[in-house]
Amino acid sequence: MLKVESLNQYYGQSHTLWDLDMEVPEGECTVIMGRNGVGKTTLLQAIMGLLPIRSGKILYAGEDISKVIAEKRASMGIGYVPQGRQIFPLLTVQENLEIGLPVRKDKKVPDYIFELFPVLKEMLGRRGGDLSGGQQQQLAIGRALVVDPRLLILDEPTEGIQPNVVHEIGDIIRKLNREAGLTVLLVEQKLPFARRVADSFCILDRGRQVATGSMEQLDDDTIQQYLTV
């Protein structure tokens, strides 16, 4: 579904991603992990076209999208939930959800989003900034789903959210991935959450991929070396 080949990215003169290779198999959930500042969010932003890459390729469904503008990647079937949610606080829940409608032929928010997140239906007229952190995260995921993505990318979906909502979001990700067949790529710091939802992992350290494999292959030595603060 998604393949990153020999990707290099810079901030000015600073080399942030180094010859990075990664693959996200279709129908699976892949988690990117690593300590703060190792390049996880930078990688997602590069995949979404929000940051330029210096060299390498980003392949989506076999097509090289390295030079495709960010706006078009959504219409190609890539949904994105950024770190910090980035909903529009002065727009209503309804208006936030409708942002993705231009890429839909029916110009309608799909009903299944309200089945996944009933609270959004109850709060359609409320401003996004008035929602709790957990409700805002549900809104951000719902907004990404409006485009009917084949690939859903989430950047730390559990950050700053109370435990009961974290569990609920985990249930939603598992349902979308394992029942609906949606391919998922996420950045996640919480190891128990990652083990619960993901099939495979990719660990970054200083902008390089240092470990990859199935979640069953993630051993204590690797956790201690690259994930323990």
Side-chain angles (χ1 to χ4, degrees):
M1 171 64 73
L2 181 73
K3 191 172 184 180
V4 174
E5 296 181 348
S6 302
L7 189 146
N8 287 276
Q9 196 273 341
Y10 287 74
Y11 276 130
Q13 297 301 312
S14 179
H15 197 165
T16 54
L17 296 176
W18 296 72
D19 296 318
L20 199 144
D21 295 306
M22 186 188 69
E23 189 164 359
V24 181
E26 186 169 5
E28 293 192 9
C29 178
T30 301
V31 60
I32 302 170
M33 294 186 290
R35 298 186 180 97
N36 289 333
V38 300
K40 303 184 300 294
T41 292
T42 298
L43 174 58
L44 294 193
Q45 291 178 339
I47 291 170
M48 288 305 303
L50 300 171
L51 290 176
I53 62 173
R54 180 71 59 87
S55 62
K57 290 183 179 181
I58 301 170
L59 303 172
Y60 169 68
E63 179 179 352
D64 187 351
I65 63 169
S66 306
K67 299 185 184 303
V68 174
I69 61 173
E71 290 79 4
K72 189 174 179 182
R73 298 189 195 199
S75 65
M76 296 174 72
I78 304 176
Y80 179 50
V81 182
Q83 187 177 25
R85 300 177 280 277
Q86 296 183 22
I87 61 150
F88 293 94
L90 298 181
L91 298 184
T92 65
V93 169
Q94 179 78 39
E95 291 166 337
N96 269 277
L97 292 171
E98 290 176 347
I99 287 170
L101 292 186
V103 305
R104 292 185 61 89
K105 292 182 179 179
D106 62 4
K107 308 301 180 187
K108 178 184 176 184
V109 177
D111 291 336
Y112 81 89
I113 291 177
F114 300 119
E115 295 171 5
L116 290 171
F117 304 112
V119 68
L120 298 183
K121 190 168 186 177
E122 298 170 8
M123 298 185 171
L124 283 175
R126 189 172 298 187
R127 291 191 304 181
D130 295 334
L131 273 58
S132 69
Q135 291 165 346
Q136 289 183 6
Q137 187 63 275
Q138 293 178 69
L139 175 56
I141 297 172
R143 181 179 61 185
L145 293 175
V146 167
V147 304
D148 277 342
R150 296 172 57 197
L151 169 65
L152 179 64
I153 298 176
L154 308 102
D155 195 349
E156 298 208 33
T158 67
E159 183 181 34
I161 296 176
Q162 58 267 39
N164 63 312
V165 180
V166 168
H167 189 85
E168 183 178 346
I169 288 173
D171 288 343
I172 295 299
I173 293 173
R174 284 167 59 94
K175 184 173 183 178
L176 289 169
N177 173 235
R178 300 180 187 185
E179 295 182 22
L182 182 63
T183 304
V184 178
L185 173 64
L186 74 152
V187 163
E188 183 52 57
Q189 297 275 38
K190 295 182 175 66
L191 184 57
F193 184 89
R195 287 194 185 280
R196 180 172 174 239
V197 303
D199 301 296
S200 58
F201 70 90
C202 171
I203 297 178
L204 302 186
D205 186 53
R206 300 178 184 178
R208 302 177 188 269
Q209 184 203 92
V210 293
T212 185
S214 69
M215 290 307 295
E216 290 79 10
Q217 294 172 312
L218 181 55
D219 56 46
D220 292 340
D221 289 342
T222 302
I223 293 169
Q224 181 66 32
Q225 184 173 2
Y226 296 114
L227 301 179
T228 304
V229 178

